Amino acid sequence: MGAVDAITAPGGSFDGGEGPGAAAARLTGRTVTGERPVSARLTEVTLDDGRAVMVKRGEPAAVRAEAAGLRWLAAAGAVGIAPVRGADRSWLVTDLVAEGPPGAGAAARFGRELAALHASGAPAFGAAPPGGPEEAYIGDAPMRNARSADWPRWYAEHRVLPYLRRAVDAGTVTPAEATEVERVCERLPGLAGPPEPPARLHGDLWNGNVLWGADGAVRLIDPAAHGGHRETDLAMLRLFGCPHLETVLDAYREAAPLGPGWSARVGVHQLFPLLVHTVLFGRGYAGRALAVARDALSG
């Protein structure tokens, strides 16, 4: 997640000593002809039919959540998703996306596809993907998928306050600073804008999880998928920047207009990922979280 790292699971060994090539062979039923480590958790593996796959190792709940999320997003038939080729308790195998340069045409298509993904809906705010765990992850941080019909209350209780408390406990946010974020949570019913139905969210839609394919189509990876407010995905896209972002947003709004005042709510939706980053990466992100909280309170 975020500008520092893509989604991974907490440290440790979960595979009983099996390597990524052996896991890929077992889960795909193909012979492995090559391996290239990408990071401590990711390996690019070439199969005997010429396909390249990405093999990820992780903690069981994280692997289960990611596999279920990818399948749930793909089931919408809206935006491109890296297909799951196999998964078990420790390993996730997906197609490797051949990447190319981002273009305006692909950006406009992505905006329309993202609107269709969100419109495919979810049973409730906080709903986990079918087969996914309630206790999931976003980055190395636990993320609880508890259901609610009330977005402002759910967002405060399950997306903002848990990470604020962890940041205070770690000393990266002071108790006095925390009161400003708590005031935003108290005012969320009035800051949330027009009511929205639960959307099918990617949930960790920063630019590193948006792959611009060589074929001109965008594909998404590494979700923290759940039912949520569609403006949260859009705010995450803006948080760390995205190529042709205004083209993406224009195409999205043409396909699915956003509620009045949506641009003033971007900071409210960014509070969640900024506080997650504060927990994972320290004080540098706390300043940004506090700035958007103060901006929301002054609006």
Side-chain angles (χ1 to χ4, degrees):
M1 162 182 192
V4 177
D5 196 8
I7 285 183
T8 55
S13 178
F14 317 109
D15 51 31
E18 185 180 36
R26 175 172 55 80
L27 290 169
T28 64
R30 310 295 311 193
T31 299
V32 169
T33 60
E35 297 182 39
R36 184 180 72 85
V38 176
S39 70
R41 302 285 173 78
L42 292 171
T43 302
E44 180 183 331
V45 171
T46 305
L47 306 177
D48 61 354
D49 60 1
R51 284 184 298 153
V53 293
M54 189 64 74
V55 182
K56 177 184 284 189
R57 179 172 57 91
E59 188 272 339
V63 173
R64 179 183 165 198
E66 186 171 340
L70 287 168
R71 289 169 173 145
W72 189 48
L73 298 179
V79 64
I81 306 294
V84 176
R85 297 304 179 188
D88 62 10
R89 284 179 50 83
S90 302
W91 297 98
L92 174 67
V93 180
T94 60
D95 280 1
L96 180 70
V97 177
E99 295 185 65
R109 176 179 171 184
F110 173 46
R112 294 188 294 269
E113 291 174 339
L114 186 59
L117 174 68
H118 290 164
S120 65
F125 297 112
E134 182 175 302
E135 303 296 335
Y137 288 94
I138 182 164
D140 286 352
M143 184 185 79
R144 186 163 185 261
N145 287 320
R147 292 189 179 208
S148 174
D150 181 342
W151 183 80
R153 178 179 296 178
W154 169 83
Y155 185 66
E157 291 183 0
H158 299 291
R159 290 298 181 265
V160 176
L161 294 176
Y163 304 99
L164 179 65
R165 295 184 189 111
R166 290 186 63 178
V168 171
D169 290 344
T172 49
V173 172
T174 70
E177 291 169 334
T179 61
E180 297 181 90
V181 178
E182 290 166 349
R183 286 173 58 205
V184 174
C185 290
E186 292 168 0
R187 291 182 53 187
L188 273 174
L191 296 172
E196 292 261 353
R200 189 171 306 200
L201 297 192
H202 176 279
D204 194 10
L205 198 61
W206 73 286
N207 182 50
N209 290 337
V210 179
L211 302 186
W212 301 82
D215 60 359
V218 165
R219 291 174 182 81
L220 303 182
I221 61 170
D222 291 350
H226 61 278
H229 196 302
R230 61 193 178 124
E231 291 177 16
T232 303
D233 264 357
L234 300 180
M236 179 83 81
L237 271 182
R238 189 177 290 280
L239 185 58
F240 297 113
C242 175
H244 304 287
L245 178 59
E246 296 310 316
T247 300
V248 173
L249 293 176
D250 287 347
Y252 184 103
R253 289 185 293 138
E254 183 177 346
L258 295 167
W262 68 271
S263 59
R265 294 189 292 273
V266 170
V268 170
H269 289 274
Q270 289 178 344
L271 263 181
F272 164 49
L274 285 171
L275 286 169
V276 172
H277 275 70
T278 300
V279 167
L280 294 178
F281 306 120
R283 177 70 188 178
Y285 287 100
R288 294 185 66 181
L290 293 168
V292 299
R294 290 163 184 157
D295 185 62
L297 292 171
S298 65

